[in-house]
Amino acid sequence: MAYETLIVEAHDAVALIRLNRPEALNALNSRLLEELGQALDAAEADPGVRCLVLTGSERAFAAGADIKEMSDKSYAEMFSADFFGPAARRIEACRKPIIAAVSGYALGGGCELAMLCDFIIASETARFGQPEINLGVMPGIGGTQRLTRLVGKSKAMDMILTGRMMDAAEAERAGLVSRIVPADRLVAEALEAAAKIAGQSPLAVMMNIELVDAAYETTLSAGVAMERRLFHSLFAFEDQKEGMAAFIEKRKPDFRGR
Ligand code: HXC
C-alpha cells in the first residue's frame, strides 16, 4: 500500500515504518496518524510480520504534533474529535512488538509516540523533550504520565515545565531509552533487535508485553500472580515444547506461534 506520509518496507518478518514528512520534521498531522493506524492494521493482519520498527529521518523522529494544523482549532473541535486520542489508543493496542528507533528530534507528540512503543533505541544524536509549555499548552498524548513513570517525577517536571531537551546519554541514564547506537547504525541495529524478537515465539512475546505493561497498571502481588498464571499457560503451546526440545537437542528452535 502506498502512503503519503509513511514509507513501509518489509524486512523478512519485520515491518519497518518510516515517518516521512521531511518538510515538517515529521510533525504528526491527522493524515500521518491515520496512515500510521492503517499501517499497523496491515502489519497486525499479516501473519508474516512478527515485529515492527518505527523510525523517522536522521534529523527528526518527529518534532511533535503539527502546530500549523492545530493552532486555529476550537475547544469544541479538539473535544469532539478527541484530538489524537483514537490514534494513541490504536498504537497502544498493537499486540505485535514495536521498537521506536529515534534519531534527531523526538519532541512533544514525537516523544510521546516513541514512548507508546514497546521500547526505544536511540542514536547518539537523539534529543527528547516535551516543549509544549513553550506553546502555552501541555503534552496531550500521554507525556505527563508516561514520561513521569519512565524517568521519575523530578526529571519529568524539569522537562515538562522548562521545555528543555534531553540528549541521548541523559535519556539512557534516566531509563527512557534502552540503548544508544551510532547514528549511521540506528536502523540496522533496530532491525537486528526486531529480527531477534521476530525469531521468538510470537505467543510468548505477546504475553511478555502484556505483563511488562501490567507492571504500570497493577500492584506487585497482582502482577506477579498474573505472571505465574501466564507462565503456566505457556505450557499449553507447541512453542514451549519446541523451545525446550531445541535447547536439549542443541539446535535452533523453530517457533510457529501455536
Ligand atoms: C509543524 C513544524 C513542527 C511542528 C517543525 N516544523 N516542527 N511544523 N509542527 N511541530 C517545521 C517548521 O515550521 C519548518 O517549516 C520545518 O519544520 C523545519 O523546522 P525549523 O524550525 O526551521 O528547524 P530548526 O531551526 O532546525 O528547529 C528544529 C526544532 C523546531 C527545534 C525541532 O522546529 C521546533 O522547535 N519545532 C517545534 C517543536 C515543538 O514545539 N513540538 C511540540 C508540538 S505540540 P517551514 O515551512 O516553516 O520552514 C505537541 C502536542 C502533542 O506535540 C499533543 C497533541 C494531542
Side-chain angles (χ1 to χ4, degrees):
M1 184 161 171
Y3 298 99
E4 185 186 302
T5 63
L6 306 176
I7 299 170
V8 180
E9 293 168 15
H11 291 257
D12 299 319
V14 179
L16 173 66
I17 303 177
R18 284 180 195 274
L19 307 179
N20 187 37
R21 292 190 70 213
E23 72 288 357
L25 301 183
N26 293 330
L28 311 173
N29 63 4
S30 312
R31 183 64 189 252
L32 184 150
L33 287 172
E34 193 188 316
E35 291 192 341
L36 184 55
Q38 290 165 358
L40 294 182
D41 288 346
E44 286 215 283
D46 182 348
V49 173
R50 289 198 182 178
C51 190
L52 291 83
V53 172
L54 181 62
T55 196
S57 66
E58 214 168 305
R59 191 165 167 219
F61 176 74
D66 190 315
I67 300 167
K68 293 166 191 166
E69 184 186 67
M70 232 175 355
S71 63
D72 289 331
K73 288 202 185 293
S74 67
Y75 174 48
E77 285 170 321
M78 295 297 271
F79 178 72
S80 57
D82 191 16
F83 197 78
F84 289 171
R89 285 193 291 277
R90 175 65 194 90
I91 299 157
E92 207 176 7
C94 183
R95 296 186 78 206
K96 293 189 179 177
I98 312 180
I99 302 173
V102 174
S103 191
Y105 298 112
L107 302 177
C111 185
E112 293 170 298
L113 176 60
M115 290 190 290
L116 277 163
C117 297
D118 292 300
F119 65 97
I120 303 172
I121 298 179
S123 90
E124 291 152 338
T125 66
R127 316 268 318 257
F128 296 88
Q130 296 290 162
E132 290 91 340
I133 193 80
N134 297 327
L135 303 168
V137 291
M138 56 161 62
I141 319 176
T144 59
Q145 305 304 299
R146 289 199 180 84
L147 188 67
T148 306
R149 280 166 166 78
L150 288 168
V151 308
K153 175 180 169 180
S154 192
K155 205 174 274 289
M157 283 287 191
D158 177 2
M159 305 292 300
I160 288 167
L161 299 182
T162 68
R164 79 170 174 89
M165 295 184 210
M166 250 199 259
D167 65 15
E170 185 179 2
E172 188 188 32
R173 279 198 307 277
L176 179 60
V177 310
S178 69
R179 45 177 133 153
I180 302 174
V181 300
D184 61 356
R185 290 278 311 148
L186 176 69
V187 172
E189 297 257 356
L191 286 173
E192 250 171 59
K196 180 93 185 144
I197 295 167
Q200 313 287 15
S201 162
L203 304 166
V205 166
M206 270 194 285
M207 284 196 188
N208 275 288
I209 290 173
E210 280 185 20
L211 284 162
V212 175
D213 285 343
Y216 285 100
E217 303 282 352
T218 192
T219 62
L220 179 63
S221 57
V224 168
M226 182 177 163
E227 179 194 86
R228 198 163 52 246
R229 289 291 172 252
L230 287 184
F231 177 73
H232 297 158
S233 77
L234 287 169
F235 285 72
F237 296 139
E238 284 175 22
D239 281 352
Q240 172 270 325
K241 300 289 174 283
E242 167 63 12
M244 294 194 180
F247 174 80
I248 292 163
E249 293 161 18
K250 299 186 188 300
R251 62 175 173 80
K252 207 171 162 293
D254 176 15
F255 292 120
R256 302 278 176 89
R258 46 189 196 222

